[in-house]
Amino acid sequence: MRRGLFVPVFILILVLVELYGFGDCQPPMVVNIAAVFTFDSVIGRSAKTAIEAAIYDINNDPRILKGIRLNLITKDLNCSAFTGTIEAVFQVIEEEVVAIIGPLSSSVARMISFISNGLQVPLVSFAATDPTLSSLQFPYFLRTTLSDSHQMAAMADFIDYYEWKEVISIYVENSYGRNGILHLQDKLSEKMIAVYKFPLPVKANRSVISDILEKTKLFGTRVYVVHVNPDSGFEIFSMAKRLQMMTKDCVWLATDWLSALLDSSLGINYSKLRLLQGVVGLRQHVPESEQKKAVLLRKRNLMKDGLMSSGLNNYGFYAYDTVWVVAHAIDELLKRNSTMKFTFDKKSRYSMQGSGLQLGKLKTFDNGPLMLEKLKQTNFTGLTGQVQFDPFRDRVGSAYDVINIEREAIKIIGYWSDRSGFSGHSLQNASWPGEKTDKPRGWVAATHERPLRIGIPKRVNFVEFVTEDHETHEIRGYCIDVFNASLRFVPYDVPHRFVPFGDGKSNPSYDELVRMVAEDVSIQCLLPFVNLGVFDAAVGDIAISTNRMRIADFTQPYVANGLVIVISNRNTNSGAWVFLKPFTAKMWGVTAAFFVLIGVVIGILEHRVNKHFRGPPRKQLITMVLFSFSSLSKTIQEDTISSLGRMVMMVWLFLISVITSSYTANLTSILTVQQLSSPITGVDSLITCNLPIGYPVESFIGSYLTDNLNIPKSRLVSLDGPEDFAEKLYLGPKNGGVVAIVDELPYAEFFVSEWKDFDIVGQMISKHGWGFVFKRGSPLAIDMSTAILKLLESGDLKKIGEKWLCKEGCEAGRHVSDPNQLHLDSFCGLFLLCGSVTFTAFTVHLLKTLRQFFRYKRKQRDHLSQSSSATSSTPCAQAVHSFFNFIDEKEETIKNMFKQYEDPPSAAV
């Protein structure tokens, strides 16, 4: 029974072994791999030579595959369409290949990846750099070259190193170009750098390239990043040169396609290098090694023998290493499992209509998952350096050389790595277009073909700041003059034209004006850009606020500004010191000085004739002070005797009468007309008074008062202009008006200079300024800020302000807290009259006294000369002392002294 079952079971096992290959432990003698790409291309020519060299080296290296020959099956896609590409791939897969090398195009790599995923055949690419080729979407896709994510990070770091804030990207319109530039845009946005994108069709002719380059001129930036295929990239520079776009202000940057193109040339075309003068590009960094030298030596020998039609670029090195990656994986796979198995995919029994491809005949690579694992575990040193894969099956580590075309030569000027970026002194001085060595500005403010469009608010009030003349359409005003004067300090030409913004019936919205400057123009709207009404800048009385700075750039403020409170200048408050309010401090000081002056002068004039002004010095001083101040209440105890004293007192009493009556009237007004007084003395009383507050219509002030000071909207009244301001302040809060108006300082100062019944009270609520508005990141904002500072230092800014805003002289901020006070100017005539009369009387009295003194001294000398022949001079100090003793005497005593010398002495009896 058992022996009867043994024979059938044995026969069944033999059949299974025959059918499924069980027990076949002999390793294959030949392993097939495929190379699928376009051979006749810049990268393809180099890659084909490198792959063939790698196959030769592997098959002649006893350390790998150990006698197993690696067979290369090649298929030239020749830029085939979708159907042709798929057909070519199926043809090589029918040959039972264990891996596919290629293709060059990222879009083709996507198509092939779908097939390789289904048949478990790894696709290893040395040129598909699209960062979006995901390992999750294509699990059998590996990349031995560097993803463009690294290249774009290097490019973004280079642009940021030179501090350019805007770039124009010109790229081929396919997945390679689009996704590469999208990644560049992401990297640059992290550094606050804007990117304008200009796609080129895959097979763009010179006319299309010319049109695209002309469109880029509509933008101010002159930093270009070119990311195209090597086969068509040179035409862009040729056309740019013809359009005079490779000047000293321009920057041209190229991704690694340029180095691939230059390195693959058998002989350097010096005319092309002259065309590329100043262009900077990236090249994958390939370290120097003996292995690399050997490959380059072999290349030179092949070129010498005429067996190689193209140079070897860095993509060729990556292609060479790619073959070795596959060989190492096959070697490791065969060490673990000596067989390579392929089975028909019974689930794929369908055909492509019209192609004649029977997909049901395709075989699945059973060892594909294990082959994939061995590929992912790759770790060896190749021509391009250490070859390893990260978890996403991208090459680990990345580095780029920065190349520069200078005077028909290719120079390496820098090195970038994903670990350190441009660290230390890794960037040397570059040569730029026009053989310029200084860093190009990288942008132009405007051109004469497209001047800078500057929006200006078309104001209907406060037109001294900025407006458009209705008749001549001339743009004029203080802000315009400041802008034009600042341009003189900008070291380059800025063609511009002013475009009024507003309907001319009411003041426009300044927030809207700033938004129109900040608004971006999409690439689809590029052609009608000039007619969109979007501004490049804005000039006017535009306040710098936090919300506006979030969307646009402002220059250095050219007007120190802030919010202030305007009230009726008849308002006041009573209090303990209200009696001081009728006069200003200067008026009080001058009046007090005159009280003292009149007392002293009257004391001097009356000293010799009035007994009330005689006595000890202390008594005389008290008498003079009391006499002067007693005149205020008309209770003078001492009468003036001298004629000069009476004349001075007459004028003084007239002045006192006018001053006291004015003081009484003003104080009465302050204390009795309470219905006209304003309770607003500053920001605190403004918030707590619960009365209506005015502010300019279409201004940010309303939202500021609500958001920052928490003043209810119900209290806020929007007003149209100066006339409306005055009317509402005259009416007051009880008659439908407002208690105060909050406005910006320049407007407020101009308003109170025109309307004398109003004034500014308290301190500034907030401090900011006016500035010119530019697009975010515009370098012109920085240059104009510097120009404004120079304008300020030169004094021209002050002169412009005096021209437009100072009709009756400029006063720096009329901040007064008591607008009803009487000023010294109102009484200067009376004080001048009183002072003149007092000075004249004092001078006459002094001259009269001196005459008497000299007369007395002369008589005294004559008398002494008659009694004695000896004479002696009187010392100066003694003479002065004698003079003061003389004027201290009474008038009667002096007369007696004169009589003593005039009457002859009596004869002796």
Side-chain angles (χ1 to χ4, degrees):
M1 188 73 178
R2 291 179 182 177
R3 191 174 294 178
L5 290 174
F6 176 77
V7 175
V9 171
F10 179 74
I11 294 173
L12 179 62
I13 292 174
L14 290 177
V15 172
L16 291 174
V17 169
E18 181 66 23
L19 288 176
Y20 296 100
F22 295 150
D24 185 7
C25 298
Q26 294 298 320
M29 298 301 297
V30 177
V31 176
N32 294 331
I33 64 172
V36 180
F37 54 88
T38 299
F39 296 163
D40 189 18
S41 64
V42 170
I43 296 177
R45 287 187 290 270
S46 178
K48 187 173 184 297
T49 302
I51 290 174
E52 291 171 350
I55 293 291
Y56 177 84
D57 291 343
I58 291 170
N59 287 334
N60 289 275
D61 191 336
R63 296 171 298 176
I64 190 169
L65 293 180
K66 301 202 173 29
I68 299 175
R69 189 172 66 87
L70 200 60
N71 181 45
L72 177 66
I73 300 173
T74 60
K75 192 65 178 179
D76 186 0
L77 297 182
N78 198 24
C79 301
S80 303
F82 174 79
T83 305
T85 299
I86 298 301
E87 182 177 359
V89 172
F90 285 164
Q91 288 175 1
V92 298
I93 288 180
E94 287 178 355
E95 300 293 331
E96 296 187 350
V97 297
V98 299
I100 302 174
I101 296 175
L104 310 181
S105 167
S106 297
S107 56
V108 175
R110 290 176 181 276
M111 292 189 291
I112 299 177
S113 291
F114 284 109
I115 301 172
S116 65
N117 291 346
L119 300 179
Q120 300 181 168
V121 178
L123 175 64
V124 188
S125 178
F126 58 88
T129 57
D130 184 354
T132 64
L133 284 168
S134 168
S135 60
L136 295 177
Q137 186 180 9
F138 307 113
Y140 279 83
F141 174 80
L142 296 93
R143 188 179 359 234
T144 56
T145 188
L146 301 180
S147 165
D148 276 341
S149 61
H150 301 293
Q151 178 173 212
M152 295 309 173
M155 184 65 73
D157 283 353
F158 184 85
I159 295 168
D160 184 56
Y161 180 89
Y162 283 98
E163 299 179 341
W164 293 308
K165 296 302 179 183
E166 290 182 341
V167 300
I168 288 176
S169 62
I170 300 174
Y171 61 96
V172 62
E173 182 58 88
N174 56 23
S175 60
Y176 156 75
R178 282 192 305 270
N179 296 326
I181 292 301
L182 281 175
H183 205 85
L184 175 64
Q185 186 176 23
D186 292 341
K187 292 295 183 181
L188 289 177
S189 65
E190 296 173 2
K191 305 176 186 296
M192 303 298 292
I193 300 173
V195 181
Y196 302 106
K197 297 183 290 185
F198 290 81
L200 280 172
V202 175
K203 295 183 179 181
N205 56 33
R206 294 177 64 85
S207 175
V208 173
I209 294 174
S210 177
D211 290 343
I212 293 295
L213 291 178
E214 287 287 356
K215 291 176 183 178
T216 66
K217 292 182 179 180
L218 297 177
F219 292 83
T221 181
R222 290 297 181 265
V223 179
Y224 299 91
V225 177
V226 182
H227 183 58
V228 295
N229 296 320
D231 301 270
S232 58
F234 186 79
E235 287 295 333
I236 295 174
F237 293 106
S238 177
M239 187 56 64
K241 187 75 171 181
R242 174 179 295 185
L243 296 176
Q244 298 182 348
M245 295 176 63
M246 298 189 72
T247 60
K248 62 181 182 179
D249 291 328
C250 298
V251 178
W252 286 89
L253 309 175
T255 51
D256 58 15
W257 68 266
L258 179 62
S259 61
L261 175 63
L262 295 176
D263 294 341
S264 62
S265 300
L266 288 177
I268 298 179
N269 189 325
Y270 291 104
S271 62
K272 287 187 176 182
L273 290 180
R274 283 195 297 271
L275 180 66
L276 297 173
Q277 163 63 37
V279 176
V280 175
L282 295 178
R283 174 199 281 159
Q284 304 100 323
H285 176 73
V286 176
E288 297 298 326
S289 64
E290 293 299 325
Q291 189 179 8
K292 178 181 176 181
K293 292 179 182 179
V295 172
L296 291 175
L297 178 61
R298 187 187 309 173
K299 180 200 77 170
R300 283 193 291 270
N301 293 333
L302 290 174
M303 291 169 56
K304 185 178 180 181
D305 296 337
L307 301 177
M308 187 173 179
S309 61
S310 174
L312 193 63
N313 56 42
N314 282 10
Y315 279 103
F317 294 141
Y318 280 102
Y320 181 91
D321 279 352
T322 301
V323 181
W324 278 90
V325 167
V326 174
H328 280 292
I330 295 172
D331 191 41
E332 292 297 321
L333 177 65
L334 292 177
K335 288 179 182 178
R336 178 174 175 179
N337 189 346
S338 59
T339 61
M340 295 288 186
K341 296 181 181 179
F342 293 85
T343 58
F344 287 107
D345 185 0
K346 298 179 181 180
K347 298 180 181 180
S348 300
R349 296 190 178 277
Y350 59 90
S351 62
M352 293 183 65
Q353 295 180 357
S355 67
L357 295 174
Q358 300 297 323
L359 300 187
K361 297 180 179 180
L362 296 178
K363 297 180 180 179
T364 300
F365 181 29
D366 294 342
N367 302 101
L370 187 57
M371 177 70 176
L372 181 63
E373 282 300 315
K374 297 303 180 183
L375 287 169
K376 290 161 57 177
Q377 295 170 8
T378 299
N379 186 358
F380 74 97
T381 302
L383 278 179
T384 57
Q386 193 66 23
V387 182
Q388 285 181 278
F389 296 102
D390 62 20
F392 302 102
R393 295 188 283 286
D394 279 332
R395 183 78 176 262
V396 173
S398 61
Y400 285 87
D401 293 325
V402 182
I403 64 170
N404 181 214
I405 313 302
E406 180 182 3
R407 297 181 181 178
E408 303 175 358
I410 304 172
K411 292 176 54 180
I412 297 177
I413 62 169
Y415 171 82
W416 179 92
S417 71
D418 57 352
R419 295 182 179 180
S420 59
F422 293 110
S423 60
H425 302 284
S426 59
L427 269 178
Q428 304 172 17
N429 291 334
S431 175
W432 305 101
E435 297 187 7
K436 183 179 178 181
T437 56
D438 296 333
K439 184 192 85 169
R441 193 164 66 243
W443 63 278
V444 293
T447 62
H448 292 284
E449 292 79 13
R450 185 193 178 269
L452 207 67
R453 286 172 51 86
I454 301 176
I456 62 107
K458 194 174 182 180
R459 293 195 64 92
V460 295
N461 50 52
F462 292 115
V463 295
E464 289 78 7
F465 293 101
V466 59
T467 195
E468 179 189 27
D469 189 279
H470 294 290
E471 296 180 358
T472 64
H473 299 289
E474 177 189 4
I475 307 299
R476 55 186 176 81
Y478 167 73
C479 302
I480 300 300
D481 281 5
V482 172
F483 178 79
N484 290 331
S486 300
L487 284 181
R488 294 198 301 267
F489 293 97
V490 176
Y492 46 85
D493 186 30
V494 185
H496 64 278
R497 65 187 181 95
F498 295 114
V499 182
F501 173 67
D503 56 10
K505 300 177 181 179
S506 61
N507 291 333
S509 168
Y510 281 41
D511 287 337
E512 179 67 13
L513 177 59
V514 174
R515 188 194 64 78
M516 293 183 73
V517 174
E519 188 175 64
D520 282 332
V521 182
S522 66
I523 209 68
Q524 289 77 14
C525 299
L526 189 58
L527 283 176
F529 175 75
V530 177
N531 299 319
L532 283 177
V534 177
F535 303 123
D536 302 304
V539 170
D541 47 338
I542 305 171
I544 303 172
S545 66
T546 303
N547 290 335
R548 292 171 181 174
M549 289 188 69
R550 289 194 181 104
I551 62 174
D553 280 352
F554 281 79
T555 61
Q556 166 83 16
Y558 61 89
V559 171
N561 196 4
L563 299 183
V564 294
I565 304 170
V566 178
I567 60 171
S568 171
N569 63 14
R570 291 181 294 172
N571 72 86
T572 186
N573 290 313
S574 60
W577 300 96
V578 68
F579 65 90
L580 295 176
K581 291 189 175 182
F583 291 158
T584 63
K586 187 183 292 186
M587 179 68 180
W588 280 118
V590 172
T591 303
F594 261 81
F595 271 106
V596 176
L597 175 65
I598 296 299
V600 172
V601 172
I602 292 295
I604 293 173
L605 296 177
E606 296 291 318
H607 178 69
R608 295 170 60 184
V609 297
N610 195 329
K611 66 179 181 179
H612 297 293
F613 290 91
R614 298 191 63 80
R618 180 179 179 183
K619 178 178 177 297
Q620 293 183 49
L621 181 62
I622 293 174
T623 301
M624 286 188 291
V625 174
L626 292 178
F627 175 83
S628 178
F629 281 94
S630 63
S631 63
L632 190 62
S633 58
K634 299 181 177 62
T635 58
I636 303 174
Q637 301 296 325
E638 301 82 5
D639 294 331
T640 51
I641 297 175
S642 66
S643 299
L644 293 175
R646 289 177 178 178
M647 181 180 67
V648 171
M649 281 303 298
M650 180 181 65
V651 178
W652 171 244
L653 289 174
F654 176 71
L655 174 62
I656 286 297
S657 176
V658 174
I659 289 176
T660 53
S661 60
S662 300
Y663 174 84
T664 303
N666 200 24
L667 181 61
T668 302
S669 175
I670 290 173
L671 295 176
T672 58
V673 192
Q674 294 296 328
Q675 67 272 20
L676 295 179
S677 66
S678 171
I680 305 301
T681 58
V683 63
D684 293 333
S685 56
L686 184 76
I687 296 173
T688 59
C689 70
N690 292 322
L691 295 174
I693 302 169
Y695 72 95
V697 69
E698 297 294 348
S699 169
F700 73 96
I701 298 176
S703 59
Y704 179 87
L705 295 176
T706 302
D707 299 338
N708 295 75
L709 301 185
N710 297 318
I711 296 176
K713 289 185 178 180
S714 58
R715 288 183 55 197
L716 302 181
V717 180
S718 61
L719 304 176
D720 289 331
E723 291 77 11
D724 203 11
F725 289 1
E727 179 184 353
K728 296 299 183 183
L729 284 174
Y730 278 135
L731 288 174
K734 294 184 179 180
N735 299 311
V738 296
V739 69
I741 290 173
V742 179
D743 203 352
E744 296 177 69
L745 178 61
Y747 301 129
E749 287 186 329
F750 190 81
F751 174 68
V752 299
S753 69
E754 293 286 306
W755 302 76
K756 302 301 182 182
D757 292 337
F758 309 104
D759 230 315
I760 300 170
V761 68
Q763 301 296 321
M764 272 196 261
I765 299 175
S766 68
K767 294 183 179 181
H768 50 271
W770 289 353
F772 304 133
V773 188
F774 293 92
K775 289 186 180 296
R776 199 75 167 159
S778 172
L780 189 56
I782 300 174
D783 292 341
M784 285 295 289
S785 294
T786 305
I788 290 171
L789 292 176
K790 292 179 180 178
L791 194 66
L792 177 63
E793 294 169 356
S794 67
D796 292 343
L797 190 60
K798 182 179 179 182
K799 294 177 182 177
I800 296 172
E802 292 173 351
K803 170 188 173 183
W804 285 99
L805 309 179
C806 300
K807 296 184 178 179
E808 299 182 4
C810 285
E811 296 181 21
R814 297 177 54 196
H815 294 277
V816 291
S817 57
D818 298 297
N820 287 322
Q821 291 178 325
L822 295 174
H823 295 265
L824 180 62
D825 296 344
S826 304
F827 302 92
C828 62
L830 285 174
F831 279 115
L832 183 61
L833 174 63
C834 183
S836 301
V837 170
T838 302
F839 177 75
T840 302
F842 176 76
T843 303
V844 170
H845 175 74
L846 180 61
L847 293 174
K848 179 182 177 183
T849 304
L850 286 171
R851 179 175 173 274
Q852 286 181 337
F853 176 71
F854 289 136
R855 182 183 167 201
Y856 167 73
K857 295 303 287 185
R858 185 173 60 251
K859 288 183 177 294
Q860 188 181 46
R861 284 197 305 271
D862 292 343
H863 177 74
L864 292 175
S865 63
Q866 293 176 3
S867 61
S868 174
S869 59
T871 60
S872 60
S873 60
T874 305
C876 181
Q878 186 177 350
V880 173
H881 182 70
S882 177
F883 174 73
F884 279 104
N885 287 336
F886 178 79
I887 64 176
D888 191 47
E889 297 292 341
K890 292 183 179 180
E891 189 69 25
E892 280 185 28
T893 303
I894 292 175
K895 290 180 179 180
N896 291 334
M897 291 168 62
F898 276 108
K899 288 181 180 180
Q900 176 185 355
Y901 293 115
E902 289 176 356
D903 296 335
S906 353
V909 180

